[in-house]
Amino acid sequence: MDETIWFAAPDLAAMTASGGAVMPGLLGIEFCDYGEDWLAARMTVGPDVHQPFGRLHGGASVVLGETVASVGAAWTLDPASHVAVGMEVNANHVRPVKDGFVTCTARRETAGRTSQVWTWRVTDEEDRPVCIGRITMAVIDNARK
């Protein structure tokens, strides 16, 4: 990689493990790939993430998108001095999924001293869009948290 946004090389296993027994772990989110300015994770679609009509719950898509972007933002910062937390999220749900898996790729669009903006795209197994979203991350100095 010529130029990268990462503070340290992403560790996909550590990213997945960080979800542990909290929401990302409960939904089975697994980080699977990254590039110079993007990060990807996947999630199995089944009854645990369905809405009552047997389709992927829109909230689960948003959790997936926000998780990938939030973890991505965190890995661009020096954890000894800063953290990133979600400030605003927007999502459009464009295709239902009943089973299989979905993959979310999040990309950092801009970064400043106090905020970052990330976009994400959740796709189905045929690479068709399922959910497209954006999140603004607040970058907080550890001395203030």
Side-chain angles (χ1 to χ4, degrees):
M1 291 186 231
D2 295 323
E3 206 164 306
T4 182
I5 63 172
W6 308 114
F7 177 77
D11 179 338
L12 300 172
M15 290 174 171
T16 299
S18 72
V22 294
M23 189 168 302
L26 296 174
L27 296 185
I29 295 172
E30 179 182 3
F31 287 86
C32 56
D33 203 4
Y34 70 94
E36 293 176 4
D37 66 346
W38 59 271
L39 180 62
R42 55 188 271 162
M43 179 177 70
T44 301
V45 178
D48 289 345
V49 295
H50 279 167
Q51 35 91 310
F53 307 111
R55 292 168 174 81
L56 176 62
H57 193 293
S61 292
V62 174
V63 169
L64 176 59
E66 183 166 352
T67 296
V68 179
S70 294
V71 170
W75 279 74
T76 69
L77 302 170
D78 178 351
S81 62
H82 291 86
V83 295
V85 296
M87 247 174 32
E88 186 272 339
V89 66
N90 171 284
N92 292 91
H93 306 288
V94 296
R95 175 173 278 107
V97 177
K98 292 184 177 182
D99 55 27
F101 69 87
V102 290
T103 301
C104 176
T105 302
R107 182 176 311 276
R108 188 173 80 175
E109 301 293 340
T110 186
R113 187 178 52 80
T114 60
S115 68
Q116 296 184 15
V117 175
W118 287 69
T119 56
W120 77 72
R121 183 179 175 94
V122 176
T123 57
D124 65 13
E125 292 180 84
E126 296 175 32
D127 201 34
R128 299 177 301 181
V130 172
C131 178
I132 299 165
R134 180 189 70 242
I135 187 167
T136 303
M137 305 299 300
V139 175
I140 302 171
D141 188 304
N142 282 344
R144 295 191 62 209
K145 67 176 187 173

